[in-house]
Amino acid sequence: MKKAKMNPVCLLSGFICVAVFAALYIVPIGVNFYYSLADSSFSGQASGLNGFLSVLRNKNFLTALGNSSVVMLLTVGGGMILSGLIAFLLFQYGSRVYFSLAVLNLPLFIPSCAVTALWQFVFKTSAFCSDGTAYTALLTLFFWKYSGIGATILYIGAKSMDRSVSEAAEVDGAGNARKFLCIMLPNLIGYILVSLAGLLMYFLQLHKECYLLFGAYPCTCMYQIQHYISNNFNKLNYRNAAAGSVMITIFSVTVCLILFAVIKRRAGEKQ
Amino acid sequence: MKHYLRALFSFAVLCVLFIFYIPAVAETVIVSSPSSIKYAVDEQYVWTVSEDGAVTWHDDNRTAYQVCRIDHVSRIAAAGGTLYCLAEDGQRQTMYVVEPHATEASGYDVPERRDIRQMEASNSMLYLLCDDGKVYLSEPFGLRLFEEIAANDFRNEDIDVISVYDGMLCAYSRKNSLVSVISLESGTLLYPSVTADDLLYVQIGRKENGVYRLIGISDPMKNAGIVEIDPSAGLVQTSDLDLPAECMGLRRNADTVYSLSADGTKLYAASLVGKTAEKNTTVTLLNTFIDLKQPESKGVADVITAFCEKHPDISLVNRSEDDIRVVANGIMSCLPGYDIITIQENFTKLPSVTMYKAGAAVKLEENEQIRQTLALCADVLSPVTAEGHLIGIPVFTNPYLWHADQETAAKIGLTVPEDGWTWDDFFDLGEKLDEYNRATGSHIPLLRDEIGQLPYFLVQYNANAVDLMAGTAAYDSKEFIDALSRWVDLYGKGLIEPFNSDDSGTALLYCFRAKSYSEYTSDEYDLILPPVLNSDTKYPVNIARTVVNANSPCQDVCVDFLAELFTPTYLRSKVFTFNNGFLLADDVARDLQNDPTGNKAVWYAVLADSAQDYYLGDLFVDQWKTLYPALLSGSMSPEAYARTCQQRAEMVLGE
């Protein structure tokens, strides 16, 4: 059998790609993981999984985990519902749709610090505001800022749908609700998952808005994992910060992988 | 292919030029002028006077600032941030004194005219080399004129060139081929005169092993070049200073020597540091109050000198950074620039105890020199220790002190306890005063609290309630809630005057944060010990301290620097005692023997039983901005206040 000749240029470019990927992605994540297993960033001595165990036993971390889960459900779930509603309205009744979508996406380009002052003024947010006020302020800010992008993705999905299926269902006597539930939703599932993944990523970035509205130590219901990580970093407790961030990374990657696996499966089913 | 190779070669040449040539030129020539200039140097500025009389000073970034214009300038010299210009207009000699930020120079006519060949300045005095070959001392404003310099074994005649630096006068006589170095303080020759031929200029050079070397410029007609003279050994050798072989004049400041090009149009600078030994390590002083270029006192200057002598291969640099995230990142990631850090505990969100808990603060007593000094110290250092380890060297101490107006108290018929009293005694005193105020219709407040945003009562409680090391807080005690209720009651009766109060009438008691030992132990005050909650209560104190980052690549060297800041000599220096009082047990005992007002005793008693007033995370801001105003307005009960503080403290400490 003839041995395949390796092209040196291909080999070199492959090596460069791997090296750049390692330098930009693997090394920082690896360093972060290394410090989560170390005693501290000063001694550098290995402490096994003690960092993870101490974080998991920490009352503040557990509170933060619970709060983050609640806020994630509310922001991502609420954001999806709102995005779907906007997309549906635009699809069914909208005129000058692209202009509307552009306006809806505009908040995404406005820096958070420029708008949080308005939210602070309207909701009088502070570390001592009530839970209701805190949730209202944070959720409205999230919806205002990110539901536009979700709506855009869903609208594009709806536009790309084969209209003949919908028309055939209409001939068969299906109403708007039935068409939406039985035709649109199953066909849009890929787009829904993409916007879900997008909103999830935006949720993970929500810390700066939360920090600006409520400070480094917010009211208990707004104390999230990012607060825990950031405050531990400022206290030079890098092991806990690293362990916390490794856990949040694992959680996020797992959720994203599940979402993408579902998307892939749906795409396979469609084909 | 050829073109590519040519382009590559040109690029390489350009890179080499850029890397080696351009920075070299930029390093050396600091002033360039179309016509010839005169120059003078002091520790702060480099001064130049152009041919048309424009007087200019140049800062560290080589930015020029023109000050004024003086005509007919013949000689200039600078010292202590002041330029002295001698102008000669015919037979008239005028001495001008120029300050950097003045718009015009003040001048006076020199009463006795002499031909002056060279003028140098030091410590507000002028050293003049006159045409008769002698060196004279003059006072710039003419109070002392032309006093002949005399020193044992020094022949003040046939002198051709002089220089003055750091209390030393260096004089060279070409006729005798002798260089002499005289101590201006003691009036003696520091070393036997050294033989050196054909020098045009001399200057005091760098210090090596406690001995200053000399720099000389040889006559270009004979043997051009820069030479270095070891006066203790009498050796003359070629110098490696980055100056052209043919240049005019030699003047210096702490770390740089300056000279003019042969045509007088370019001013060169050559670094004096890093020549004796290559400076391959930099130690950064972050947020310290030490000005390396202009040490605030002789004590600090001696510390720097002692350190540099011990570590000639280390260069010290200053840096400041307020952003806690930047500092935290720098400390943890071993970045350069975070070696020695001064922390103002009640100003930062990164207290030194937090650093210690994270393993970031070095245990300083492990250094032998520090340990020895520590053994001599009075028991006043507990706020700068953690788990029995010394984690910081005090920079300044600000205890919270109380002052009683005994005259007013006597007038009212009340007795203010001098010590050993509790908050209950304080509140009882308040009730008696309230009765007096009601009976007489007067309004004398019990306490004017001039501490700041939070009253002393809460500052003291915060300092005692929070144990940063253990990560615990104790706000929810009944004792605190009761005291808080009585405090609010007194406030409601107008007996507590807060910070920034408009009312500036007489009060019975005052409390404030003392900024310096010297000021607050004077007889202007009648200090008393503040009340306490119980026998375990400690007095709050703010001690800014300098710590060493455990991640510093040169940790031992940094500790050596702190050791120099913790020698008995430095702890007795004016600059330290002014801010902190005495620290050594013997000194404290001696100091207390001379205490007619009893104020020093109060100062040391507070320090002996003190706790650092940490402003924990957001808890301080929470109390100041939200909780305390709500408590005073009645919208929050003392119980709710205590509960919220406890909850917030647990959130901060529980991470």
Side-chain angles (χ1 to χ4, degrees):
Chain A
M1 199 174 143
K2 206 178 171 186
K3 228 179 172 181
K5 252 190 176 179
M6 291 292 277
N7 185 338
V9 177
C10 285
L11 204 66
L12 187 69
S13 31
F15 174 75
I16 290 170
C17 288
V18 169
V20 168
F21 177 74
L24 295 178
Y25 292 89
I26 305 293
V27 172
I29 293 169
V31 168
N32 196 35
F33 189 67
Y34 166 79
Y35 278 113
S36 69
L37 299 173
D39 186 29
S40 78
S41 67
F42 300 95
S43 69
Q45 285 171 353
S47 72
L49 295 174
N50 284 345
F52 290 96
L53 291 175
S54 111
V55 166
L56 285 171
R57 281 187 203 128
N58 188 282
K59 203 178 131 197
N60 281 20
F61 181 79
L62 296 175
T63 308
L65 197 65
N67 290 340
S68 292
S69 307
V70 172
V71 175
M72 185 182 75
L73 282 174
L74 291 173
T75 50
V76 178
M80 271 313 296
I81 293 168
L82 195 63
S83 301
L85 194 66
I86 295 168
F88 178 72
L89 291 173
L90 286 174
F91 185 70
Q92 288 291 340
Y93 313 107
S95 62
R96 305 180 72 137
V97 172
Y98 288 106
F99 174 74
S100 307
L101 284 174
V103 171
L104 283 169
N105 279 299
L106 205 60
L108 207 58
F109 301 98
I110 302 173
S112 300
C113 54
V115 292
T116 42
L118 179 67
W119 258 258
Q120 262 177 331
F121 176 75
V122 173
F123 294 99
K124 305 275 178 286
T125 59
S126 75
F128 298 96
C129 61
S130 68
D131 289 5
T133 310
Y135 277 120
T136 313
L138 194 69
L139 292 180
T140 49
L141 182 58
F142 184 87
F143 296 154
W144 173 77
K145 198 161 182 186
Y146 301 117
S147 56
I149 187 75
T152 308
I153 294 168
L154 294 177
Y155 177 80
I156 290 166
K159 278 283 279 185
S160 65
M161 246 172 46
D162 190 354
R163 276 184 175 254
S164 61
V165 182
S166 175
E167 282 161 9
E170 212 172 309
V171 171
D172 291 343
N176 275 350
R178 200 178 175 87
K179 271 197 300 177
F180 177 73
L181 286 171
C182 300
I183 297 168
M184 275 185 86
L185 270 186
N187 276 291
L188 280 177
I189 194 76
Y191 292 93
I192 290 170
L193 290 171
V194 168
S195 53
L196 206 60
L199 288 176
L200 187 71
M201 282 174 201
Y202 287 126
F203 157 73
L204 293 170
Q205 294 171 16
L206 193 61
H207 175 60
K208 63 178 177 295
E209 284 87 355
C210 198
Y211 183 89
L212 290 166
L213 288 173
F214 311 107
Y217 291 94
C219 44
T220 314
C221 70
M222 282 294 129
Y223 184 82
Q224 295 176 49
I225 292 178
Q226 291 96 330
H227 286 102
Y228 178 83
I229 293 170
S230 161
N231 293 339
N232 267 297
F233 181 86
N234 287 345
K235 287 176 180 174
L236 309 181
N237 194 348
Y238 195 63
R239 184 188 70 169
N240 283 15
S245 62
V246 165
M247 281 192 266
I248 204 170
T249 308
I250 291 170
F251 168 76
S252 313
V253 168
T254 311
V255 171
C256 286
L257 283 177
I258 292 168
L259 282 175
F260 284 115
V262 174
I263 293 169
K264 210 175 164 188
R265 205 171 139 200
R266 293 297 305 179
E269 277 173 13
K270 266 186 127 180
Q271 279 170 7
Chain B
M1 193 65 182
K2 241 182 195 177
H3 295 297
Y4 286 123
L5 281 174
R6 201 177 289 166
L8 196 67
F9 179 73
S10 311
F11 180 70
V13 169
L14 277 173
C15 285
V16 169
L17 277 175
F18 184 78
I19 292 165
F20 294 103
Y21 181 73
I22 294 173
V25 170
E27 283 281 314
T28 313
V29 178
I30 63 156
V31 180
S32 187
S33 167
S35 57
S36 68
I37 53 171
K38 292 181 173 60
Y39 83 100
V41 175
D42 64 20
E43 291 303 335
Q44 282 164 289
Y45 311 107
V46 172
W47 298 83
T48 55
V49 179
S50 63
E51 264 187 350
D52 62 356
V55 178
T56 307
W57 61 271
H58 308 259
D59 66 11
D60 288 347
N61 302 322
R62 298 176 190 178
T63 310
Y65 301 90
Q66 190 173 329
V67 183
C68 58
R69 197 173 288 274
I70 302 171
D71 293 327
H72 312 297
V73 174
S74 62
R75 303 278 177 258
I76 65 170
T82 305
L83 179 73
Y84 303 98
C85 293
L86 182 70
E88 297 194 56
D89 190 6
Q91 282 302 300
R92 191 177 160 201
Q93 279 185 322
T94 311
M95 180 64 77
Y96 290 95
V97 178
V98 185
E99 302 287 343
H101 303 293
T103 47
E104 56 184 40
S106 56
Y108 76 96
D109 287 340
V110 180
E112 187 185 335
R113 193 190 189 289
R114 295 215 190 170
D115 289 329
I116 293 166
R117 204 188 294 165
Q118 193 183 344
M119 182 167 82
E120 298 295 330
S122 176
N123 285 335
S124 307
M125 298 301 283
L126 297 175
Y127 297 86
L128 308 167
L129 173 63
C130 293
D131 256 5
D132 59 2
K134 289 184 176 177
V135 189
Y136 297 92
L137 176 77
S138 277
E139 198 271 325
F141 291 100
L143 297 174
R144 291 164 72 186
L145 270 179
F146 299 109
E147 290 178 10
E148 203 172 315
I149 296 281
N152 294 337
D153 302 323
F154 170 59
R155 287 165 65 191
N156 191 357
E157 56 186 34
D158 303 319
I159 305 295
D160 292 292
V161 64
I162 60 167
S163 63
V164 179
Y165 180 74
D166 198 19
M168 291 174 285
L169 171 79
C170 182
Y172 175 69
S173 163
R174 197 186 290 192
K175 188 180 167 189
N176 304 320
S177 297
L178 284 178
V179 187
S180 308
V181 183
I182 303 147
S183 162
L184 292 169
E185 197 182 342
S186 62
T188 52
L189 271 181
L190 283 174
Y191 318 103
S193 297
V194 183
T195 304
D197 294 324
D198 306 319
L199 295 183
L200 289 182
Y201 303 98
V202 285
Q203 179 56 267
I204 313 288
R206 50 192 164 231
K207 203 175 184 182
E208 270 180 32
N209 304 322
V211 176
Y212 274 106
R213 289 175 164 243
L214 307 174
I215 311 161
I217 298 180
S218 301
D219 186 348
M221 307 295 282
K222 304 268 173 76
N223 186 17
I226 315 290
V227 293
E228 201 159 276
I229 303 160
D230 182 348
S232 56
L235 282 173
V236 181
Q237 60 197 59
T238 308
S239 169
D240 55 358
L241 275 176
D242 292 332
L243 286 174
E246 290 182 28
C247 51
M248 300 196 296
L250 277 172
R251 275 172 168 160
R252 67 165 289 185
N253 58 20
D255 53 10
T256 311
V257 63
Y258 300 84
S259 186
L260 272 179
S261 61
D263 61 358
T265 59
K266 288 189 184 73
L267 181 61
Y268 297 104
S271 176
L272 281 166
V273 290
K275 290 292 168 187
T276 47
E278 212 45 55
K279 302 264 178 187
N280 47 21
T281 309
T282 299
V283 167
T284 306
L285 309 183
L286 180 69
N287 297 342
T288 63
F289 298 90
I290 296 171
D291 187 341
L292 292 167
K293 288 217 150 186
Q294 276 288 298
E296 60 176 309
S297 68
K298 191 179 175 304
V300 176
D302 289 346
V303 165
I304 297 167
T305 308
F307 175 80
C308 291
E309 276 180 26
K310 200 170 170 188
H311 297 283
D313 57 334
I314 303 287
S315 56
L316 293 168
V317 291
N318 274 120
R319 183 164 174 251
S320 62
E321 177 59 65
D322 291 334
D323 193 330
I324 182 63
R325 290 162 300 183
V326 177
V327 175
N329 188 33
I331 288 174
M332 286 190 289
S333 49
C334 310
L335 289 175
Y338 301 87
D339 303 307
I340 296 171
I341 308 162
T342 293
I343 298 177
Q344 293 192 64
E345 298 286 330
N346 64 2
F347 187 72
T348 179
K349 288 185 176 175
L350 181 60
S352 53
V353 173
T354 304
M355 277 185 76
Y356 172 78
K357 268 180 90 174
V362 173
K363 296 166 188 165
L364 298 171
E365 80 282 355
E366 286 174 2
N367 175 287
E368 179 59 30
Q369 195 179 327
I370 291 179
R371 192 165 54 244
Q372 282 175 9
T373 310
L374 195 59
L376 303 173
C377 284
D379 190 15
V380 292
L381 286 172
S382 61
V384 289
T385 58
E387 292 181 327
H389 300 293
L390 183 74
I391 55 171
I393 300 292
V395 179
F396 57 78
T397 306
N398 299 150
Y400 296 83
L401 298 176
W402 281 45
H403 155 71
D405 186 344
Q406 297 291 9
E407 263 182 41
T408 308
K411 209 165 69 182
I412 300 167
L414 292 174
T415 311
V416 178
E418 296 265 313
D419 56 17
W421 61 319
T422 63
W423 284 105
D424 280 336
D425 299 331
F426 171 82
F427 297 129
D428 292 345
L429 192 67
E431 277 162 22
K432 283 179 195 161
L433 183 62
D434 187 44
E435 278 169 25
Y436 173 84
N437 280 344
R438 274 195 225 171
T440 58
S442 54
H443 174 66
I444 299 171
L446 175 63
L447 175 69
R448 175 163 305 134
D449 200 313
E450 294 174 348
I451 282 175
Q453 292 87 351
L454 278 184
Y456 176 83
F457 170 68
L458 285 176
V459 169
Q460 189 193 75
Y461 197 79
N462 282 335
N464 283 276
V466 172
D467 185 342
L468 212 52
M469 203 58 220
T472 56
Y475 284 97
D476 45 3
S477 74
K478 190 177 175 307
E479 201 181 16
F480 174 57
I481 294 168
D482 289 346
L484 200 57
S485 307
R486 293 190 77 180
W487 175 270
V488 175
D489 188 40
L490 276 193
Y491 191 90
K493 289 173 180 165
L495 291 170
I496 309 287
E497 261 189 21
F499 179 61
N500 285 343
S501 162
D502 293 335
D503 197 346
S504 56
T506 308
L508 201 60
L509 298 160
Y510 300 81
C511 66
F512 46 83
R513 193 166 78 188
K515 290 195 179 102
S516 68
Y517 166 80
S518 297
E519 191 183 343
Y520 287 91
T521 51
S522 65
D523 55 7
E524 198 184 316
Y525 297 93
D526 183 12
L527 299 182
I528 58 166
L529 280 171
V532 290
L533 211 57
N534 55 46
S535 57
D536 294 331
T537 307
K538 292 188 178 301
Y539 301 108
V541 61
N542 169 43
I543 300 185
R545 74 282 309 266
T546 306
V547 298
V548 171
N549 171 15
N551 257 359
S552 167
C554 42
Q555 199 191 102
D556 293 343
V557 174
C558 297
V559 175
D560 272 353
F561 186 82
L562 290 207
E564 295 300 336
L565 280 171
F566 202 61
T567 58
T569 313
Y570 183 72
L571 297 181
R572 287 182 185 122
S573 69
K574 247 185 195 170
V575 62
F576 186 84
T577 55
F578 181 85
N579 290 319
N580 302 279
F582 289 93
L583 213 58
L584 304 180
D586 289 349
D587 294 347
V588 172
R590 212 172 298 125
D591 196 28
L592 285 172
Q593 284 170 8
N594 176 27
D595 184 22
T597 56
N599 287 344
K600 289 177 182 176
V602 172
W603 176 283
Y604 289 118
V606 165
L607 289 189
D609 203 10
S610 59
Q612 175 65 45
D613 64 328
Y614 297 109
Y615 289 178
L616 187 63
D618 283 4
L619 188 59
F620 169 73
V621 182
D622 291 344
Q623 288 188 62
W624 156 41
K625 287 194 171 168
T626 312
L627 303 177
Y628 188 58
L631 179 77
L632 294 180
S633 69
S635 61
M636 179 176 256
S637 68
E639 289 81 4
Y641 185 95
R643 200 171 47 244
T644 314
C645 282
Q646 181 68 23
Q647 190 190 346
R648 304 284 296 159
E650 279 172 6
M651 187 187 256
V652 176
L653 295 166
E655 285 172 332

